[in-house]
Amino acid sequence: MTTPLYKKTAREIRDAVRSGAVTATAVTEAHLARIAEVDPKVDAFTQIWTDEALAQAAAVDAKVKQGVDPGPMAGVPVGVKELICTRTGKTTCASKILENFRSPYDATIIKKLDAAGAIFLGKVNMDEFAMGSSTERSTLKTTKNPWNLKCVPGGSSGGSAAAISADECAMAIGSDTGGSIRQPAALCGCVGIKPTYGRVSRYGLVAFASSLDQIGPLTKNVEDAALSLNTLCGRDPLDATSADLPVPDFTKALTGDVKGLRVGLPKEYFTEALNAEMREKVEAAVDVFRRGGAEIVPVSLPHTDYAIATYYIICTAEASANLARFDGVRYGYRHPGAKTVEEMYVLSKSEAFGPEVRRRIMLGTYVLSSGYYDAYYLKAQKVRRLIKKDFDDAFEQCDFVMGPTSPIPSFEFGAKTENPLEMYLADIYTISVNLATLPGISIPCGLTASGLPAGLQMIGRPFGEETLLRAAHCYEQTSGITLGEPPIA
Amino acid sequence: MSKITKQDVEYVAGLAQLRLDDAAKERLVREMGDILAYMDQLNELDTSNVEPMMHAMEMTNVFRQDVVEPSLPREEALMNAPVHDGEYFIVPRILEGDAS
């Protein structure tokens, strides 16, 4: 085997490091060299923690040498989204308002990954405060899609997806409020899973929309997603909304077959809004499941068309409340010209929030304001229940729901920044999953004629990650679809 | 005709503690108008008998033992403050009068 170390999967790296076949130091060096080689083109990484990563790797290697268990993620190089609090480096949320913020504590998932032997290579790019679907809203840099450098990587976890697809790390942490893990995974041709709300602690995730946000991994394959979830999931006393449920060994769910599974195809996901090429890929995927012995069941999610309106009321309302904390007092940017407390609030926010963040704060403030609360916010909470009920009803007939992740493949920079509503509409297939608090996974299902990845999404019952992983893994193993290497050109 | 006026945008900006220039206000009148008009499609649905989904997880009262845990050292709690004096966060004067 002469596969370069940076091409190896997390599981391969973990096994090789644990057995002593390769050192975590060698793995880390190989990835740092890969970053130095390709990141000037891709621009996924916003911070590179060379010294800290090599120190972590040396600690893992010392454990292996002493015969001490180095952990289930030993030596796995990880990229961390800019909104996860880390004591190392900065936590900027890709925003001017936090451009110098150094978290005094680590997020729970950072502590867990560190204890599991993972190596943090640095931080990766995102849309400011995770508000966007293309990573063009970052104030830090412009991340490119490794499959076509003229095209966006998706968002908001665009840096995470691009870094995986360009082999700069073996696992990347993303967060998903309305598709921000799954959509960039689809656009960059990697695997991304949003676990059920409550599966993963949100302690140390800078809040965007608290009833929708969830942390999850982006990986090169489904097995690595399962392996990562083993470490990431679980109850955390520091997050009262984390679920008090046992965490299974997710890798045991990868049985390699889908016999007897019932795959629900919602008719609302296969309308004219779906690009013809994407439809073709998803239909080919349906055939793979049929051939594998799964039962294909037509289902209906009748409130699908109302999901975007519902989502953008709830997420902007929650965002406007969450972002009110950036007052220039305890942390974050303070305008130097502020003479009064009110000026400090107003000038600091007005100067340091970007246009998309300001727009969402304005919308959220509007829908919560006196006279409009019932008409917008309360109405959206009611429709949210109807959307959740659609899925509950569908799961009476099927074990998971399948369809495209995004109605369109990646697009060129600037193509959708002028019309915010058009950008929102591209989230049609992913946002219902957050509204209904369900787990969803995106895996590659081919390349378009222009060489851009297409993503297949599977949506499961609450805490049904094992079924999703089993189905996605079987598809990956039996579809015969491999994307090959992105040209990074 | 936009759903909202420039006066609406100014009122909401005040609530949100944002200061906008004229160009930004004009743009928001248009963009928020479009987005709010799109959101109005929810009115097609009769939700009179639907309970609002107020929580992502329908759980109540997550308790823990009332014990003191170590908290952030003062130095670290202050380290990101734009202005502090080693003990307190410093903000511009709130009360009128002479500094003394």
Side-chain angles (χ1 to χ4, degrees), chain A residues 44 59 198 217 282 378:
Chain A
V282 175
L378 190 65

Side-chain angles (χ1 to χ4, degrees), chain A residues 87 100-105 197-198 211 235 240-243 303 305-306 308-310 312-313 316 328-334 338-341 343-347 349-350 353 355 358-359 361-363 365-367 369 373 375-376 378-386 388 418 420-421 424-425 435-437 463, chain B residues 3-4 8-21 24-25 27-28 30-59 61-64 69 72-73 75-84 89-96:
Chain A
R87 288 182 66 97
N100 293 313
F101 180 67
R102 290 184 172 274
S103 173
Y105 65 93
Y197 187 84
S211 80
R235 161 101 182 117
T241 62
S242 63
H303 295 95
D305 281 350
Y306 301 99
I308 290 176
T310 304
Y312 278 96
I313 291 170
T316 57
V329 177
R330 294 151 300 157
Y331 43 71
Y333 176 78
R334 182 190 294 189
K339 300 229 164 34
T340 65
V341 170
E343 267 188 13
M344 174 182 69
Y345 298 151
V346 173
L347 296 177
K349 285 169 197 265
S350 303
F353 284 136
R358 283 208 306 262
R359 181 157 47 234
I361 290 173
M362 289 287 290
L363 277 165
T365 306
Y366 181 85
V367 300
S369 66
Y373 180 93
Y376 289 99
L378 190 65
K379 183 81 184 180
Q381 285 185 315
K382 290 180 171 189
V383 181
R384 183 176 184 182
R385 185 167 306 277
L386 295 177
K388 181 160 174 52
E418 279 310 302
L421 188 54
Y424 297 172
L425 294 178
L435 289 169
T437 74
F463 303 100
Chain B
K3 272 197 68 82
I4 63 168
D8 293 331
V9 165
E10 284 167 351
Y11 171 69
V12 175
L15 294 177
Q17 295 172 322
L18 290 173
R19 184 174 294 179
L20 305 167
D21 62 24
K25 284 180 201 166
R27 206 165 50 241
L28 280 165
R30 203 175 60 244
E31 291 171 348
M32 288 176 67
D34 285 353
I35 295 166
L36 291 167
Y38 178 82
M39 287 170 174
D40 277 344
Q41 65 173 293
L42 296 189
N43 295 326
E44 296 165 11
L45 295 171
D46 178 6
T47 53
S48 44
N49 293 314
V50 181
E51 244 336 84
M53 185 169 158
M54 292 194 168
H55 301 282
M57 291 183 91
E58 318 247 323
M59 50 179 18
N61 295 348
V62 179
F63 290 125
R64 62 168 172 79
E69 303 273 351
L72 217 50
E75 192 182 304
E76 292 186 20
L78 289 168
M79 74 183 189
N80 284 288
V83 189
H84 68 85
F89 298 110
I90 305 289
V91 298
R93 272 190 89 71
I94 295 174
L95 299 175
E96 312 257 318

Side-chain angles (χ1 to χ4, degrees), chain A residues 102-116:
Chain A
R102 290 184 172 274
S103 173
Y105 65 93
D106 279 327
T108 295
I109 60 133
I110 294 295
K111 285 190 181 152
K112 285 183 164 193
L113 285 167
D114 185 44

Side-chain angles (χ1 to χ4, degrees), chain A residues 425-479:
Chain A
L425 294 178
D427 300 338
I428 177 74
Y429 301 125
T430 48
I431 55 181
S432 308
V433 179
N434 300 73
L435 289 169
T437 74
L438 304 171
I441 189 169
S442 178
I443 60 169
C445 63
L447 289 176
T448 64
S450 47
L452 291 168
L456 178 69
Q457 181 177 224
M458 296 164 208
I459 302 163
R461 295 193 178 101
F463 303 100
E465 285 86 0
E466 288 166 285
T467 305
L468 293 187
L469 291 163
R470 173 184 163 194
H473 175 252
C474 179
Y475 172 78
E476 181 186 72
Q477 300 299 308
T478 60
S479 65

